[in-house]
Structures are given as structure tokens and as C-alpha cells.
Amino acid sequence: MFKARPGLGEEAARRIADALPAVEAEAGTTLWLVLRSHTDVDKIFLVDLFDSEASLDTHMSGSAASQIFATVPELLAVEPELHPSAVVASKPAA
């Protein structure tokens, strides 16, 4: 979760979304979503899923993560919150 400084949520979300081409090149990243809250427009959620721990490690040391962490922190009110998680249930995307 990324919490932008007041009024900077749109720019922060755009900078995160700019990493999409790098993510698309990652074979092991099976889902990657950038979501902006309707109730707090300065809160952005980045949801990503990987086919293995190795793919997660590759992603976190790759160009997408590097791009995000090089361009987004200056817009944030607090440090990004990372919550590694496991899928419990899902509905496939249409």
C-alpha cells in the first residue's frame, strides 16, 4: 500500500502504473494490479501474484520494482507497506 502526500495520489498511481511494461516482461508475474482508492484518492494499492518464490524474488530485484522505488517515494506521506500474502480463494479474471 502506498499513501501519497495530500493531492499527489493521481501522480503516484501514474508513476507506479508506468512500470507496467517492465512487469509485462516478467514471465513469473501472473497478476499485477494498480488500484486507487475511491474513499481516499491518495491511497494506492499494488496487488501482484507470482508463480513461485523465485519469481517474487526476481520481481523485487528487477526493473519494475527499481523504477517504482526510484520514482514514487518522493510523493509519499509514509513508507510503502508491503504485505506478502498467500491466495486463499480467487475468481479468474474475465
Side-chain angles (χ1 to χ4, degrees):
M1 194 273 299
F2 295 81
K3 175 66 175 166
R5 288 187 277 134
L8 297 177
E10 183 175 357
E11 177 65 15
R14 185 193 61 76
R15 289 186 188 187
I16 295 167
D18 284 347
L20 179 59
V23 173
E24 288 176 325
E26 297 174 352
T29 303
T30 60
L31 176 73
W32 193 80
L33 303 170
V34 179
L35 309 169
R36 189 166 169 221
S37 174
H38 285 297
T39 58
D40 181 348
V41 296
D42 293 319
K43 191 176 282 186
I44 301 104
F45 298 94
L46 176 55
V47 179
D48 42 14
L49 298 176
F50 307 93
D51 63 7
S52 67
E53 286 293 319
S55 293
L56 167 61
D57 294 342
T58 298
H59 171 77
M60 291 306 293
S61 63
S63 61
S66 295
Q67 179 180 340
I68 290 168
F69 287 112
T71 62
V72 176
E74 68 189 21
L75 303 177
L76 301 180
V78 296
E79 290 289 317
E81 293 180 26
L82 303 178
H83 298 274
S85 305
V87 175
V88 174
S90 69
K91 174 183 174 183

